[in-house]
Amino acid sequence: MAEGYIHSVRFVREKCRGCVTCVKACPTDAIRVRNGKAELIPARCIDCGECMQRCPYHAVEGISDKLEQIKDYQYNIVLPPPSLYAQFPAEISEDVIRGGLSHLGFDEIFDVAVASEYISLEIADYIKNYNGGRKPLISCTCPAVLRLIQVKFPELIKQVVPVLPPVEAAAIYVKQEAMERLGLDASQIGVWFLAPCPSKDANIRQSVDVVHTQLTGSIAISEIYGKLMRSIGSVKESKKITASSSYGMGWGSYGGELAAIGVKNGLAVHGIENVYDVLEQISMNKMPDVDYVECSACSGGCIGGPLTAENKFVAEKNLKLRLAKMREHEPSDRLEAMAESMTCEGFPKSGAYIKKLVPRPMMQLDDDIMEAMKKFERMEEVLNSLPGLDCGACGAPSCQCLAEDIVQGKATEIDCIFKLRASVKKLAQGMLELAKQIPISGGSMDLNDDGEEKDADKGSN
């Protein structure tokens, strides 16, 4: 059974109150509450971070690397995404923020947004030459969405655009370029992504879209934010920088990808619940008139990731103002503006770097097919006996999931409060009947309907 998945979401048991909020929020039914604590089902988790966003007790954490780890490498390159710049007011320029990154110890800064511009052109070209297949085509850039497609909508894999996500393309380029320029071995170069969400970190540890990642690790934006704020202004000039235009920077918020690609007949959907609904529509072939769908698991796009520091609405405002300021100094034509920052010779094309996306089994009742069929039949019987309310009080998100857990020995029918109530009532009635038959002093106790002993005739001696 598929249990060997590496995830960047973990539960902190001592903080968990067993409130089932995360259970109901999970789009892939990957969480259960058992013995009062939340537990993860690895084969189902897509690292979207929705449980992190929803937990009122902060009992869910995203795993990421620490800034101190850059000391293990001779030369360190940081890949800041647009969502990092959105954490700061537009009055704080990109150069000042990059200066802060230099002060923290990074030797080189390469905006992921630059790679977004190259990828935008690749996607545009793929859409233009796409013939005969089902539409719409689906964005490849959000690892959580790709994992959702793997476990819930494998029939849509063929509609995912087969190009590199920007951060992976950037990592491939900067590592190769630094090796050639500095004469260093690959093991001496650290390439670090500043992550807005846990799915990016999980994708480094177990990639779904690239054959061999060149990323060394990811540092959460929330982890580095305070240190970066304190270091801003400490360095007047940054080290080696590769910066983007406003179109690459716009990828940080929903709709930015469509704008950079130049898609007129496209759709931008953000928030994992909305993404799920749209993928369901696409699966039923209800959107054949749409050319391309930009999907972001986080509400608002990457600026709304659970590992960011700023409120997503404030971040959206910051990014819009920043883009407006950048466009004051750019050509009005989109392609001309992008061309000014696309000066990386030998930037990688997707080609052999892409890993084929394959379905990921979410539930396997048993390795033996005959035993699995028996369990499925039993599961149907159990499901029919449950109330069908999907209340979540049992610790599972739905009666269907509880039925699955029961046949796999991970739960019992009395975990359902309605089943438990019926069992308790039946037990109480049985005890009442038994009590009526208890012999007292050679006779039997005379009880009324409420199980109480009837009063003796007060007039008798």
Side-chain angles (χ1 to χ4, degrees):
M1 300 177 80
E3 294 291 337
Y5 299 113
I6 299 171
H7 297 289
S8 293
V9 171
R10 70 167 187 173
F11 294 96
V12 184
R13 289 185 64 83
E14 55 268 26
K15 292 183 179 180
C16 180
R17 305 286 185 86
C19 68
V20 307
T21 299
C22 59
V23 172
K24 302 300 288 184
C26 181
T28 56
D29 302 329
I31 306 172
R32 302 288 187 272
V33 170
R34 296 285 178 250
N35 300 315
K37 300 293 181 181
E39 298 176 357
L40 187 70
I41 301 175
R44 293 175 177 266
C45 179
I46 61 172
D47 292 279
C48 64
E50 191 70 7
C51 50
M52 293 178 63
Q53 302 269 40
R54 299 288 190 91
C55 180
Y57 305 107
H58 307 289
V60 192
E61 295 179 344
I63 301 170
S64 65
D65 297 298
K66 304 299 181 184
L67 180 62
E68 292 72 26
Q69 292 175 244
I70 70 174
K71 296 176 183 177
D72 297 336
Y73 297 85
Q74 185 173 330
Y75 190 81
N76 288 283
I77 306 169
V78 64
L79 307 179
S83 51
L84 174 74
Y85 296 104
Q87 306 304 297
F88 302 91
E91 292 74 30
I92 300 178
S93 71
E94 297 87 67
D95 285 339
V96 170
I97 297 169
R98 293 175 188 127
L101 290 172
S102 294
H103 182 71
L104 292 180
F106 294 106
D107 302 294
E108 182 177 338
I109 299 162
F110 188 99
D111 280 348
V112 174
V114 175
S116 297
E117 294 172 345
Y118 282 94
I119 296 303
S120 294
L121 297 186
E122 230 185 306
I123 294 173
D125 189 57
Y126 187 87
I127 294 172
K128 181 180 177 182
N129 296 299
Y130 183 72
N131 287 312
R134 279 182 57 170
K135 287 187 177 182
L137 293 168
I138 302 168
S139 171
C140 66
T141 58
C142 178
V145 172
L146 295 184
R147 290 176 180 232
L148 177 62
I149 290 172
Q150 281 185 306
V151 302
K152 281 286 192 177
F153 303 98
E155 68 278 6
L156 299 182
I157 285 176
K158 291 182 179 180
Q159 289 172 249
V160 176
V161 173
V163 301
L164 281 166
V167 65
E168 294 288 355
I172 292 167
Y173 173 77
V174 297
K175 196 160 197 175
Q176 185 62 40
E177 193 274 339
M179 288 169 61
E180 295 174 358
R181 172 167 47 88
L182 302 171
L184 296 175
D185 185 75
S187 62
Q188 297 174 297
I189 301 171
V191 181
W192 306 91
F193 178 56
L194 302 182
C197 69
S199 71
K200 299 291 198 299
D201 181 86
N203 204 48
I204 295 171
R205 300 169 192 272
Q206 192 174 59
S207 177
V208 298
D209 49 24
V210 66
V211 177
H212 298 294
T213 183
Q214 295 302 314
L215 286 163
T216 306
S218 70
I219 303 170
I221 288 177
S222 55
E223 162 77 16
I224 204 173
Y225 179 74
K227 300 170 186 176
L228 184 54
M229 281 290 287
R230 290 190 292 272
S231 68
I232 280 179
S234 301
V235 178
K236 298 301 180 185
E237 291 185 8
S238 301
K239 301 173 184 178
K240 188 177 185 304
I241 297 170
T242 306
S244 76
S245 75
S246 64
Y247 288 93
M249 187 71 76
W251 271 57
S253 183
Y254 68 94
E257 183 181 340
L258 289 179
I261 296 170
V263 175
K264 303 298 182 185
N265 185 28
L267 178 68
V269 54
H270 55 99
I272 195 66
E273 288 185 6
N274 298 326
V275 169
Y276 192 107
D277 290 343
V278 167
L279 291 178
E280 207 166 39
Q281 294 291 306
I282 296 172
S283 178
M284 293 185 288
N285 200 27
K286 290 188 175 182
M287 300 173 62
D289 56 324
V290 177
D291 291 329
Y292 186 76
V293 176
E294 167 196 324
C295 295
S296 301
C298 297
S299 180
C302 291
I303 56 171
L307 299 184
T308 56
E310 186 58 271
N311 175 278
K312 67 181 177 182
F313 298 105
V314 174
E316 182 180 5
K317 180 267 299 181
N318 290 344
L319 188 58
K320 285 182 177 178
L321 291 176
R322 192 174 295 280
L323 296 180
K325 289 184 70 173
M326 292 175 73
R327 284 173 184 164
E328 291 175 1
H329 307 287
E330 292 178 349
S332 57
D333 181 77
R334 172 180 60 91
L335 295 176
E336 287 182 22
M338 291 167 63
E340 288 187 353
S341 59
M342 294 169 64
T343 57
C344 305
E345 292 185 13
F347 195 85
K349 291 285 186 180
S350 295
Y353 297 110
I354 285 290
K355 181 178 181 179
K356 184 180 180 182
L357 196 63
V358 295
R360 198 178 93 188
M362 189 175 69
M363 182 195 73
Q364 188 175 339
L365 291 175
D366 200 277
D367 292 328
D368 181 83
I369 185 66
M370 296 304 296
E371 188 62 30
M373 290 176 66
K374 291 178 182 177
K375 285 185 177 181
F376 183 79
E377 291 175 0
R378 169 63 179 150
M379 187 179 76
E380 290 294 301
E381 292 175 4
V382 173
L383 181 59
N384 289 334
S385 72
L386 295 174
L389 297 177
D390 297 340
C391 63
C394 61
S398 65
C399 291
Q400 170 80 37
C401 291
L402 178 59
E404 293 174 15
D405 293 347
I406 289 170
V407 298
Q408 295 194 75
K410 297 176 181 178
T412 64
E413 289 194 37
I414 59 172
D415 282 325
C416 172
I417 60 171
F418 297 96
K419 285 278 190 177
L420 177 61
R421 182 187 299 168
S423 297
V424 170
K425 185 176 181 180
K426 184 176 180 181
L427 178 61
Q429 289 174 339
M431 292 178 68
L432 178 60
E433 291 299 320
L434 180 62
K436 288 181 178 180
Q437 304 302 319
I438 295 176
I440 301 294
S441 301
S444 49
M445 185 183 294
D446 195 8
L447 303 178
N448 62 24
D449 291 338
D450 294 324
E452 299 172 344
E453 185 178 0
K454 289 183 179 179
D455 290 337
D457 187 353
K458 296 180 181 179
S460 62
N461 292 323

